[in-house]
């Protein structure tokens, strides 16, 4: 059995990974590029831990617009293919802020219309669901094809380190804060994903953070450190493939 990784878990217990409301529905190959299609907010999945699995229209619009903005700002990202409002006026209850609230935490519940976003990427393979040969096939096919697996994995880790570095540098360049950059929100391919508690800095604040529960460890200036923690999670997971005496890249 695997061990929970608590260093980059927002709750410090290894159980704070995702709300389980995304589900992949298929793949297409267009001009030699493979695209995976994934619904966000389509309902309960085996991984939603008792939640309703839905997304509301407000957050779905934010993800659609933000992912397209990041793409056109030159930052690697998943992209939004479509957004549909749930038929029949289905609503979901979510925490929100009353007009009198001046605190960071929501103080009331409201009902909001549900929506479903279809997002696309070459893959949605996340760090916490690593399958080594599948990751090589989907995200790093040019890493020493035909070589022994340990050599290919070492090459993959070197490329992943570069991709993570370029990604986070892009975030800092455009003033973007992902807000919850744990291993669940870190794609092996090194692209922006999961526009939940994100935001762009309007006035420079190194501790800018959009999620009320994030503390400072996911703040704007600490994203490189969070990225390093995610990379180390990936590297440690690859250690059995590399061999007990292999130095981590």
């Amino acid at each position: 059995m695997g061990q929970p990784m608590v260093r980059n878990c927002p709750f410090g217990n290894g159980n704070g990974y995702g709300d389980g409301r995304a589900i992949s529905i298929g793949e297409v190959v267009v001009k030699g590029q493979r695209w995976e299609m994934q619904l966000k907010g389509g309902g309960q999945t085996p991984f939603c831990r008792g939640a309703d699995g839905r997304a509301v229209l407000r957050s779905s619009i934010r993800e659609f617009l933000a992912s397209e903005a990041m793409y056109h700002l030159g930052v690697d990202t998943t992209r939004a293919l479509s957004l549909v409002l749930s038929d029949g006026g289905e609503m979901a209850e979510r925490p929100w802020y009353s007009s009198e609230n001046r605190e960071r935490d929501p103080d009331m519940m409201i009902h909001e219309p549900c929506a479903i976003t279809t997002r696309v990427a070459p893959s949605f393979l996340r760090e916490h669901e690593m399958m080594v040969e599948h990751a090589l096939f989907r995200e790093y096919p040019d890493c020493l094809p035909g070589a022994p697996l340990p050599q290919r994995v070492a090459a993959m880790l070197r490329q992943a380190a570069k991709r993570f570095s370029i990604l986070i540098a892009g975030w800092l360049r455009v003033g973007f804060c992902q807000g919850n950059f744990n291993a669940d929100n870190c794609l092996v391919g090194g692209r922006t994903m999961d526009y939940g508690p994100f935001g762009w800095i309007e006035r420079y604040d190194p501790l800018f953070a959009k999620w009320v529960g994030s503390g400072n460890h996911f703040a704007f200036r600490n994203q490189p450190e969070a990225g390093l923690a995610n990379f180390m999670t990936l590297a440690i997971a690859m250690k059995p493939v590399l061999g007990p005496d292999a130095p981590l890249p």
Side-chain angles (χ1 to χ4, degrees):
M1 296 293 291
Q3 297 298 315
M5 299 299 295
V6 300
R7 181 182 175 194
N8 55 354
C9 169
F11 306 114
N13 57 16
N15 296 321
Y17 293 100
D19 49 28
R21 56 182 173 171
I23 184 168
S24 293
I25 58 172
E27 298 178 359
V28 294
V29 178
V30 180
K31 296 181 180 179
Q33 173 64 63
R34 185 181 299 272
W35 295 98
E36 181 177 344
M37 294 180 290
Q38 190 174 86
L39 300 182
K40 183 173 182 179
Q44 289 187 324
T45 72
F47 308 102
C48 62
R49 299 181 298 175
D52 58 23
R54 302 310 308 268
V56 298
L57 180 61
R58 167 181 50 84
S59 61
S60 299
I61 291 174
R62 290 175 72 242
E63 173 153 355
F64 193 106
L65 295 177
S67 62
E68 288 304 289
M70 291 290 274
Y71 173 78
H72 289 284
L73 286 168
V75 181
D76 203 355
T77 179
T78 62
R79 299 191 67 183
L81 181 65
S82 68
L83 190 161
V84 296
L85 185 66
S86 293
D87 193 19
E90 186 175 357
M91 308 288 282
E93 191 175 47
R94 294 292 186 265
W96 198 242
Y97 300 84
S98 67
S99 58
E100 297 82 17
N101 185 12
R102 297 296 181 268
E103 304 298 325
R104 294 189 67 186
D105 294 331
D107 62 340
M108 61 182 293
M109 300 296 291
I110 62 173
H111 288 85
E112 301 187 67
C114 294
I116 302 173
T117 302
T118 303
R119 57 189 185 186
V120 296
S123 87
F124 287 94
L125 188 61
R126 310 187 192 201
E127 279 200 1
H128 73 299
E129 54 188 20
M130 270 293 297
M131 297 170 284
V132 179
E133 295 202 42
H134 184 62
L136 285 164
F137 168 71
R138 291 299 297 269
E139 294 288 1
Y140 298 93
D142 297 329
C143 285
L144 303 179
L149 185 59
Q151 294 181 26
R152 298 196 67 202
V153 168
M156 181 185 77
L157 287 174
R158 286 190 287 269
Q159 286 297 316
K162 291 179 181 178
R163 291 192 191 183
F164 287 13
S165 299
I166 292 170
L167 174 67
I168 297 168
W171 291 354
L172 300 180
R173 172 176 60 84
V174 302
F176 177 81
C177 183
Q178 200 274 348
N180 189 19
F181 193 38
N182 58 25
D184 180 63
N185 293 323
C186 182
L187 293 181
V188 173
R191 64 184 62 90
T192 314
M193 187 206 67
D194 197 67
Y195 292 85
F198 74 93
W200 280 275
I201 290 180
E202 296 184 16
R203 177 183 298 174
Y204 180 70
D205 176 4
L207 295 180
F208 175 82
K210 291 297 292 183
W211 181 42
V212 295
S214 67
N216 290 334
H217 59 288
F218 291 133
F220 177 76
R221 76 174 183 190
N222 293 331
Q223 292 181 115
E225 182 178 347
L228 177 60
N230 288 337
F231 176 75
M232 290 306 299
T233 299
L234 177 64
I236 291 169
M238 296 298 100
K239 187 74 171 176
V241 180
L242 294 170
D245 300 323
L248 293 178

